[in-house]
Amino acid sequence: MSSCRKCDTYCGADKPLDDIPWLRQIKETATNKTQIYKESYNYGREGFFIVSCADTNCNYPLSSLMTCTGDVLCSYGGVVGIICYDSIYQTTTKELIYSSY
């Protein structure tokens, strides 16, 4: 019989929006429309997908895939186009955990 102490954690946190400082800061300082997703990518690696709008109409949303430590793996949208820092990322699951709208 196996025991699991942290089965419900994500990125090592029980409550990622409260327990991960850089993620909490994004949530608390969002001035326009922002969404935060838990995202599994590349066969089970955990991270976050952040969608933020530069204006109130959300004409040019910027989307970023970020690691558990807050490093940007890939960004697209806004005025930057597509910038990926490693390789192609394949999303396996995505769950909305915060929306400011």
Side-chain angles (χ1 to χ4, degrees):
M1 183 170 160
S2 66
S3 77
C4 184
R5 294 173 142 186
K6 294 285 185 177
C7 291
D8 295 329
T9 65
Y10 194 84
C11 286
D14 291 325
K15 297 177 182 176
L17 287 171
D18 297 325
D19 298 341
I20 299 174
W22 67 266
L23 194 61
R24 183 178 63 241
Q25 183 178 11
I26 288 174
K27 182 183 100 173
E28 291 174 352
T29 61
T31 56
N32 289 318
K33 297 175 180 178
T34 300
Q35 292 181 319
I36 301 173
Y37 295 84
K38 292 191 304 188
E39 183 162 322
S40 294
Y41 62 96
N42 291 4
Y43 309 103
R45 298 183 86 180
E46 296 179 340
F48 297 94
F49 187 71
I50 314 292
V51 180
S52 57
C53 299
D55 58 31
T56 55
N57 295 324
C58 204
N59 292 320
Y60 304 101
L62 177 64
S63 303
S64 299
L65 175 61
M66 303 175 78
T67 66
C68 292
T69 58
D71 295 322
V72 176
L73 296 173
C74 196
S75 289
Y76 59 90
V79 294
V80 300
I82 298 173
I83 300 171
C84 292
Y85 297 99
D86 192 0
S87 60
I88 304 290
Y89 295 96
Q90 181 179 10
T91 299
T92 52
T93 63
K94 187 190 236 180
E95 176 188 341
L96 181 68
I97 59 171
Y98 172 78
S99 180
S100 64
Y101 60 101

